Amino acid sequence: MTYVVNGRSFDEEPGPGQCLRTFLRSLGHFGVKKGCDAGDCGACTVWLDGFPVHSCITPAFRAQGHEVTTIEGLGAPGQLHPVQRQFRDAPGFQCGFCTAGMIMTSATFTEAQKADLPRALKGNLCRCTGYRAIEDAVKDVIGIESATPGKAVGTSVAAPAGDEVVTGRAEFTMDTAVEGLLHLKVLHSPHAHARIVSVDKSAALAVPGVQRVYTWQDVPPRRFSTAIHTDHLVDPDDTYILDDTVRFVGQRVAAVVAETVGAAEEGCRRIEVEYEELPAVFDPEAAMAAGAPQLHRTDDPFVRDCVRNILLEMHSHIGDVDAGFAEADVIHEGTYSSPRVQHAHLETHGSIAWVEDGRLTVRTSSQSPSIAKVKLAHLFALRPDQVRVFCKRVGGGFGGKQEVISEDLAALAALDTGRPVCFEYTREEEFTTASPRHPMKLTVRLGAKADGTLTAFQVRNVSNTGAYGNHGGETLYAGGAAVMIYRCPNKKYDAFSVYTNTVPSGALRGYGMTQPAFAVESAMDELARALHLDPFELRRRNIVAPGDPLVALHDGPDDVMFNEDGLGKCIDLVEHAMARAANEPPHGSGWLMGSGVASSLHETAPPTEHLSEAWVTLGDDLVYELAVGTVEFGEGTSTAHVQIAANQLGTTPSRIRLVQSDTDRTGFDTGAFASAGLFVAGNAVLRAANAVRDRILEFAAAHTGVHVVMCSLGDGEVVCGDQHVPLTELVALARARGIRFTAARKAYGSPRSVVSNTQGFKIAVHQVTGEIRILYSVQATDAAVVINPAQVRGQVEGGVAQGIGFALTENYHVDAGGAMANPNLRNYRIPTYADVPRTELLLVKSADSLGPMGSKGMAECCINPVAPALANALHDATGVRYRALPLTPERIYSRLRENRSIRTA
């Protein structure tokens, strides 16, 4: 067969039934991405004769005789297609995994299509940006700026990898060709709870190309937690690589390693497993009851009560809540529930492992290569120097890659076979086996005086950690921040993290705070109405203020500093914005109008140990090499780190060469999560850059005989009094004396500060269909000193978009047997362009005394107030309180109809 790809003609025979996506990637066109393999996301979009198609559902043979164009053929760095330039300059991307598909679709748009983007972009999904940056790119709105030497901070400079991302040349985890690569596939349990009686591998091993079949008998018998934290003691060691007991539908039973993906999949189908089914329990309240099926029998001291399936329980209080309720004029009590939510990062989990010179090397999609290395060394009894873990660009994370869940099996097979092994999740595996947000049920009881002053604040939180306890304890602790936000002398917090026979829950943006924020902020809105107070005013009267103890779970000392009333300023900004916003209903009849508000506090680093080390070196080419372990997956830390270094070194970002996320080439880094990529790693970069600057200045001062206080570092020179000494001269002199201008510095996640934010919505609800239309969205945040304004806007817009999905569209449906019933993007339904409004961003003017350059990480917290603000707006519009998410049209319509029936009865 003859094919023409990017103007080059060649003869090649695709495999039987092979899709165009895998065919093109086999030819080295790695800009064609895999997001779904079902035609749902558009990440694989290419052109056939100039027309965009989803290559994952296009048979390869259909491209014969046609001209195929991939993102690499559209343009190259230095020769960008106009739409590639637009996406770079908007910037119209964050992680960049969807960007090639977005560009290939957008580059074909007519003017009419540009005017109707909800329809034109319906086949392309983005999980990071919230789509407004993509709209700006399509409409050629330029957002990036140039920085002058020493003044990079506060400027919307371009991402270091911008040209590579928009041309499809930025490498993600699977964008490589490895000679002799084996492929690993997993057989998953069909049962929610069962003991494996026997496994017959013989038929699987007889499949041509199958090299190995692994079961629980073939793996190291070491327990671990898949969760990633520096302090491993905060997570239970309740997991094996493969186990002889399965505790949820989808759990690994066996792994097959073969020469091809197809052979590995066929091998999985031929494994014969005999199970002894065991009783299962899916509801956490039922799991805690006497006589419930017991999931774990472990001597791990972390696990609180195996018999009652309780991983962890917390009981904390200050004051006397009973006395507080006794003196209240109004008491409100309500129970609020939030479901599982999948991260839906478009790059699925995946790792490639190999052994080289006696060392295990793992190329992976992770938020923390440093801790992945530690866990792999533990699992396989290796010394740390025998393991290297590194990441290329990561296609989204949102906490989902704060786990070790693909690296272990790939490493096992590579160590055993001596050949490189690839383990890449399918989209269905993401939904059925990767760790979603914890479902939580919270009962909130509030007491207040007639003037709105809180007298009692009580919360009971039951969290479903699923079959294993990864992140179950830490997310429970994090939920205390919802109690911290309001001042009250009497508080009580009871919380339970409970094992059930469902997919293990994990870390997701907002980390244990999003669910309690929905409950507490909904309850505050209900309390305001009971008191006949404006919701803004009730919050304003009760929020914690500087000088107040941030009392959440206890009244003991902590390391959180709270020096400025950012939360009060956020509330004021949103209230003013909501007052001036237009309030026009959609066309047609049957629409009800409402507005809602909610607030949130979030600490700038997790309470567990968080560490980062940065190295800065001035090279002979006068380019500063910045080495930092933090991974880039769309949160923008790479750009911010480069800006901080350039600012302190008196130069421009173009003279900073970034090396990152490689345990052989960078120092230890706990990971990019909880906004610590800016707060902690940013401080390490700041300190390392300052140390190198000071060494250069001291050397120049000694060379010129001018006191160091009279010396300053500029772009390519040092000014010492009235002398201008080129850096080339200083570097040559230093080299001759055996001196290098280099430094390493560490930073820790303590003490910590607090980020505040407030979200407001105006919505219309159709009383017949239950449809919600968001008419206006505004969020205020105290990000303090903004390192990169365009990236801060993008993070807030993306966080709001994810929050809208959490509140309105995303429904992780588990059937009666514990299996997920909708494991694909089409039926799970993350927001599309048409679902997401443009959010007005309002920034509180402040500076943080702890963050680098006075900044705060704020990518984590912006999702937290979104769902309660929408629920509060829905109640304002309909008069009906919805205490369970998601707020789907069916659920809204049913409650509205029920409410009308009650009123007419």
Side-chain angles (χ1 to χ4, degrees), residues 599-883:
S599 293
S600 177
L601 278 183
H602 199 282
E603 295 153 352
T604 52
T608 52
E609 298 174 24
H610 208 102
L611 165 66
S612 183
E613 183 175 10
W615 307 337
V616 175
T617 302
L618 177 60
D620 292 345
D621 56 359
L622 302 188
V623 173
Y624 294 93
E625 182 174 278
L626 168 61
V628 61
T630 307
V631 177
E632 176 59 64
F633 57 94
E635 77 282 26
T637 52
S638 295
T639 313
H641 292 164
V642 166
Q643 288 180 259
I644 291 168
N647 209 81
Q648 300 309 102
L649 295 166
T651 188
T652 60
S654 63
R655 285 191 52 222
I656 306 293
R657 179 171 54 247
L658 184 63
V659 176
Q660 61 187 139
S661 55
D662 185 334
T663 61
D664 269 12
R665 302 182 64 195
T666 62
F668 184 90
D669 188 281
T670 296
F673 52 88
S675 294
L678 177 65
F679 185 76
V680 182
N683 267 327
V685 170
L686 176 71
R687 294 168 187 174
N690 285 345
V692 167
R693 177 199 62 198
D694 293 346
R695 289 187 180 184
I696 294 171
L697 293 179
E698 289 165 3
F699 187 87
H703 173 62
T704 60
V706 177
H707 196 282
V708 69
V709 298
M710 301 297 292
C711 300
S712 61
L713 179 59
D715 194 29
E717 66 176 9
V718 176
V719 179
C720 295
D722 58 359
Q723 301 180 55
H724 290 252
V725 186
L727 276 179
T728 49
E729 179 180 330
L730 293 173
V731 169
L733 286 169
R735 190 190 315 114
R737 301 178 191 178
I739 297 172
R740 295 177 68 215
F741 296 127
T742 185
R745 291 292 184 272
K746 297 178 182 178
Y748 300 85
S750 181
R752 302 172 290 153
S753 52
V754 173
V755 178
S756 312
N757 51 353
T758 298
Q759 174 72 41
F761 284 110
K762 289 193 173 185
I763 68 168
V765 186
H766 200 279
Q767 54 189 323
V768 175
T769 66
E771 177 191 359
I772 289 180
R773 291 190 187 177
I774 299 173
L775 307 177
Y776 178 62
S777 171
V778 59
Q779 185 168 130
T781 184
D782 67 332
V785 173
V786 174
I787 303 293
N788 189 302
Q791 289 192 157
V792 166
R793 189 193 74 164
Q795 288 299 310
V796 171
E797 289 173 344
V800 172
Q802 279 191 307
I804 289 171
F806 172 51
L808 302 184
T809 67
E810 298 179 38
N811 192 358
Y812 191 111
H813 179 65
V814 177
D815 67 18
M820 191 201 184
N822 54 324
N824 54 69
L825 291 171
R826 183 166 303 183
N827 294 324
Y828 177 74
R829 227 175 79 65
I830 68 173
T832 67
Y833 176 94
D835 299 312
V836 181
R838 184 176 288 274
T839 293
E840 182 178 358
L841 171 61
L842 305 173
L843 295 173
V844 170
K845 294 182 179 179
S846 65
D848 186 67
S849 59
L850 301 175
M853 312 296 295
S855 65
K856 296 180 183 180
M858 42 61 62
E860 182 95 5
C861 61
C862 47
I863 191 174
N864 291 335
V866 175
L870 278 169
N872 293 339
L874 179 59
H875 179 258
D876 186 51
T878 64
V880 178
R881 173 56 61 173
Y882 295 80
R883 294 177 178 164

Side-chain angles (χ1 to χ4, degrees), residues 112-159:
Q113 287 174 305
K114 291 179 185 178
D116 189 13
L117 289 181
R119 179 178 295 276
L121 283 175
K122 67 180 182 179
N124 290 79
L125 296 177
C126 176
R127 192 55 156 169
C128 296
T129 65
Y131 298 101
R132 297 309 109 183
I134 291 169
E135 176 187 308
D136 287 346
V138 172
K139 296 183 177 180
D140 201 11
V141 177
I142 295 176
I144 66 169
E145 304 167 315
S146 297
T148 56
K151 297 187 182 299
V153 168
T155 305
S156 295
V157 302

Side-chain angles (χ1 to χ4, degrees), residues 293-306:
Q294 185 177 338
L295 272 71
H296 291 273
R297 290 170 174 81
T298 175
D299 56 0
D300 188 337
F302 184 95
V303 179
R304 184 63 55 89
D305 187 344
C306 281

